[in-house]
Amino acid sequence: MHTDRRTLIRAAAALPLSAVGSSAAFAQTSAPAPAAAPPKEVTRALAHYLVTASYDELPANVRKEGVRTLLNWVGVAIGGSHHETVDIAVAALGPFSGPQQASLFGRRERFDIMNAAFINGVSSHIFDYDDTHLKTIIHPAGPVASAILALSEMQPVSGKEFLNALVLGVETECRIGNSVYPNHYDVGWHITGTAGVFGSAAAVGKLLKLNEQQMIWALGLAASQPVGLRESFGSMNKSFNPGRAASSGIFAAILASKNFTSSDAMIEAKRGWANTISTKQDYNEILGDLGKRYEAALNTYKPFACGIVMHPAIDAAIQLRNGNRLTADQIERVELKVHPLVLELTGKKTPRQGLEGKFSIYHAVAVAIVEGAGGEKQFSDRAVTDPTIVALRSKVVPVITPGIKPEQVDLTIVLKDGRKLNRFIEHAIGSVEVPMSDKQLETKFSDLADGIIPAAMIRRVMDACWNVESLPNAADIAKMSVSA
């Protein structure tokens, strides 16, 4: 646990320096040192593991986290289903959708599995409220759950098969993400899309019962479809990325199932995925302790609907607000000591739309103090234009401070009467160290689903998720999760 946290910290700390390093590299006139020969058969070894790994081999804690991952994903997919972004996607793609094979969570329409997986992936990410693998900042469930739930409506998939595929898909994308993070992320790739496509392809390939060679080709075809750039953050395009990763993974696995070929070394080859899109390649992160060390067990769930690096500040602001019954008119300024990553990712001072507010530390702190929450309603178009919130965010002063870690914040509220209120957050709620409880996940789910699916159905859907391993067909979850 502590090693994982240190990995994240070292990776994040390196971000501001990497651009300088890149510039220096371009300025060099001497010939670079010869590159080490890439390891052989990384793609094949991963494919062999995926094809042979069984549900019975999953440790109990990994199964439990897989179930929590599913519950959280279904909740956010339903919750985001009527956002303007999803409405636009449904209207745009409807005329081109094929057979009505799969459900759209929280909606009445049915689309072909490719488009259904895409739209459900968009829906699950649009609030930025989905799960997070903190070592890589990948949102694992979007690409994987969107794909295999769509597939499960086309062919029978038992609950145990489904959970095994979900865990293996999450494991695949997070391990591949580990191998290139942070360098890959730092240059501008949205790692949920670029690594997520591997998770989708692996999970769908598992359910299609691909043989080892076909799984190699599925991973290779996934490698040819990296999607997502960080420039898209704050726009509808950000949620496009996990949605596209979901549908692209299905595309890859289905083609491979009919023996559509690829290179056998698309991950590790000199001109393969890892070497093309990253200056860091650590293949031990992909293959080390396969079946023993589970990245899927480290998944976390957001209590706040925004960028993860803002969560400590929101947590601190809400605690001080509630503990002292603060109102905005009492506050002179709010001082935050933060890691550089906070301003790099969430430095938008004047968000004009709710999606931009999800990447504004100024808005996040202000709305947390004014409304005492950080859910999807606090990152809406209404919230970012609220006069009280707008006035308070001009008083929020984040300062990059040596020694502050990415997962920490030191927040001080200076009041007009001269008092200073302070809260230091070591680990925010929702982290690996302070995880959301099952009850808190249920409350989050209920709040998101309220008004979208029938009230009586909310409990039934949650129970189906909790008991997925006993379901004869996992598609029941999708079929129950639609509007009346």
Side-chain angles (χ1 to χ4, degrees):
M1 189 80 67
H2 296 297
T3 300
D4 293 340
R5 178 62 62 184
R6 288 197 296 272
T7 302
L8 170 64
I9 294 165
R10 288 197 299 269
L15 287 174
L17 302 177
S18 60
V20 176
S22 298
S23 300
F26 281 117
Q28 288 177 351
T29 56
S30 58
K40 295 180 179 180
E41 300 194 330
V42 173
T43 307
R44 181 174 295 278
L46 177 59
H48 176 78
Y49 168 72
L50 292 170
V51 168
T52 58
S54 71
Y55 166 83
D56 293 334
E57 294 169 348
L58 294 178
N61 68 310
V62 176
R63 293 181 192 175
K64 177 59 184 291
E65 213 56 64
V67 171
R68 281 162 53 87
T69 294
L70 173 63
L71 178 85
N72 185 77
W73 182 87
V74 173
V76 293
I78 293 171
S81 61
H82 291 273
H83 190 277
E84 178 189 11
T85 302
V86 180
D87 291 340
I88 291 172
V90 170
L93 297 176
F96 307 99
S97 181
Q100 296 182 1
Q101 298 165 325
S103 305
L104 301 187
F105 280 70
R107 302 182 69 101
R108 296 179 181 178
E109 300 93 339
R110 290 178 66 83
F111 277 27
D112 64 87
I113 67 165
M114 300 288 192
N115 282 303
F118 168 74
I119 291 171
N120 288 331
V122 170
S123 180
S124 70
H125 191 59
I126 192 61
F127 284 153
D128 234 299
Y129 213 2
D130 42 352
D131 54 338
T132 307
H133 176 254
L134 292 173
K135 289 166 64 176
T136 56
I137 326 183
I138 289 172
H139 304 288
V144 179
S146 306
I148 58 177
L149 277 165
L151 182 71
S152 71
E153 293 196 71
M154 270 196 67
Q155 65 175 55
V157 174
S158 74
K160 289 182 178 179
E161 288 179 302
F162 178 90
L163 187 63
N164 190 40
L166 176 64
V167 169
L168 292 176
V170 169
E171 193 68 18
T172 297
E173 64 189 321
C174 291
R175 280 175 170 267
I176 290 176
N178 283 346
S179 74
V180 295
Y181 188 84
N183 306 41
H184 169 68
Y185 187 80
D186 182 41
V187 297
W189 289 101
H190 184 193
I191 196 168
T192 296
T194 57
V197 65
F198 290 104
S200 172
V204 173
K206 184 67 174 178
L207 293 181
L208 292 177
K209 297 179 169 50
L210 301 188
N211 62 37
E212 183 175 311
Q213 183 60 66
Q214 290 170 331
M215 186 66 82
I216 291 169
W217 291 333
L219 294 172
L221 293 167
S224 292
Q225 301 177 85
V227 60
L229 302 172
R230 282 172 53 198
E231 177 61 25
S232 66
F233 289 12
S235 73
M236 295 178 183
N237 191 165
K238 185 174 190 283
S239 60
F240 172 94
N241 302 334
R244 192 59 178 163
S247 57
S248 293
I250 296 175
F251 203 90
I254 288 177
L255 284 173
S257 74
K258 301 300 182 183
N259 298 324
F260 195 105
T261 69
S262 178
S263 162
D264 288 355
M266 280 290 282
I267 295 175
E268 73 275 14
K270 180 179 179 181
R271 293 179 177 85
W273 184 85
N275 284 301
T276 300
I277 63 175
S278 179
T279 56
K280 173 200 171 187
Q281 302 85 26
D282 184 351
Y283 298 108
N284 187 59
E285 288 286 359
I286 299 176
L287 301 181
D289 293 326
L290 270 173
K292 298 177 182 177
R293 166 177 62 83
Y294 283 90
E295 296 298 313
L298 303 177
N299 209 8
T300 68
Y301 314 97
K302 291 184 175 184
F304 309 124
C306 59
I308 196 80
V309 294
M310 299 195 298
H311 287 206
I314 297 172
D315 194 351
I318 291 175
Q319 288 188 39
L320 289 177
R321 182 248 196 203
N322 292 346
N324 297 276
R325 299 183 179 180
L326 296 178
T327 56
D329 59 355
Q330 295 176 277
I331 296 172
E332 180 70 30
R333 67 183 180 276
V334 184
E335 302 170 348
L336 294 82
K337 295 178 181 178
V338 298
H339 186 274
L341 194 63
V342 174
L343 287 181
E344 180 182 342
L345 294 178
T346 64
K348 295 180 184 292
K349 290 187 176 181
T350 55
R352 296 163 295 177
Q353 299 174 333
L355 292 179
E356 291 182 334
K358 295 175 182 295
F359 296 90
S360 171
I361 187 65
Y362 305 92
H363 173 74
V365 171
V367 76
I369 293 172
V370 172
E371 300 190 358
E376 77 278 8
K377 295 179 179 64
Q378 282 68 51
F379 294 93
S380 62
D381 292 349
R382 184 274 311 168
V384 298
T385 56
D386 181 283
T388 302
I389 296 169
V390 170
L392 183 56
R393 77 185 181 208
S394 67
K395 300 178 181 179
V396 175
V397 184
V399 178
I400 294 174
T401 306
I404 294 289
K405 301 173 183 178
E407 69 272 26
Q408 297 175 336
V409 74
D410 191 343
L411 187 146
T412 300
I413 297 178
V414 180
L415 302 180
K416 291 177 179 178
D417 64 11
R419 287 182 295 154
K420 293 184 177 181
L421 308 174
N422 177 264
R423 180 74 79 233
F424 177 79
I425 298 293
E426 180 76 24
H427 301 291
I429 182 174
S431 62
V432 173
E433 293 81 4
V434 189
M436 290 185 73
S437 67
D438 290 353
K439 182 62 177 176
Q440 287 171 323
L441 285 178
E442 286 198 346
T443 299
K444 175 182 174 179
F445 187 110
S446 298
D447 289 345
L448 284 163
D450 183 41
I452 299 178
I453 64 174
M457 191 61 71
I458 293 175
R459 182 71 257 170
R460 288 185 60 193
V461 175
M462 287 194 294
D463 287 344
C465 290
W466 286 128
N467 297 295
V468 62
E469 293 158 284
S470 64
L471 292 180
N473 193 345
D476 292 348
I477 294 172
K479 293 175 181 177
M480 286 191 292
S481 300
V482 298
S483 60

